[in-house]
Structures are given as C-alpha cells and as structure tokens.
Amino acid sequence: MSTRSPLTRPHCHGNPSFSDFGDIEEFFEESPWTVEDEKDFEEIPEDEFDAYVEDTTMFATRESMFGKAGKKWMADQPEL
C-alpha cells in the first residue's frame, strides 16, 4: 500500500478521501480507457491499471484499492 495520506476533498464534507475522484465513475471517466462493461474492465492491462491507481490514489495497486473499497462498503452497511 502506498504511504500517501488520505486526501481531504471539499465535497467529502471534511472526511478523508483515498483518491482525487468523487466516485468510481469519475475515476474511470478520467482514465485513459473507456470502461462501459465488465469486458472493457477486464481488457485493461494490469500493469497500466496499477500505474494509474498509484498515480491517482493513495494505493499502490488495484487490489489494495478494491480491498479498501470493499471493507469500507461493508462497514457502511446497516446491521441486519
């Protein structure tokens, strides 16, 4: 994982953010790839995607980024 600190973005109401983007859609819109479906996503070269993640987020790889996103999503779910 990158040693970068979470960013504070104005639209995040002072909460730390882990990227320069408001959401995953913005992340992909600003990327060099067109991602409209799962097939498009799967065709992104891993090394290029990891470099994009490292350049635009506090994470070093997509695995670390998606792992944190999954943990945050689970933590935000109401208890059943």
Side-chain angles (χ1 to χ4, degrees):
M1 186 161 156
S2 174
T3 58
R4 297 179 191 163
S5 298
L7 308 169
T8 300
R9 300 187 59 162
H11 67 276
C12 293
H13 308 287
N15 294 325
S17 177
F18 298 99
S19 77
D20 295 331
F21 308 103
D23 56 33
I24 194 69
E25 287 83 13
E26 185 180 350
F27 174 83
F28 282 112
E29 285 172 5
E30 297 295 323
S31 79
W33 309 284
T34 300
V35 179
E36 296 178 355
D37 56 31
E38 189 173 341
K39 183 178 181 283
D40 292 340
F41 176 76
E42 291 172 355
E43 291 177 350
I44 299 172
E46 286 185 38
D47 58 334
E48 291 179 27
F49 193 35
D50 283 344
Y52 180 68
V53 167
E54 186 172 27
D55 288 346
T56 60
T57 74
M58 66 166 282
F59 302 101
T61 66
R62 64 184 178 161
E63 287 84 15
S64 59
M65 180 179 74
F66 291 144
K68 179 67 174 180
K71 288 178 185 175
K72 181 167 179 1
W73 183 84
M74 290 295 293
D76 290 346
Q77 299 308 300
E79 291 186 40
L80 300 178

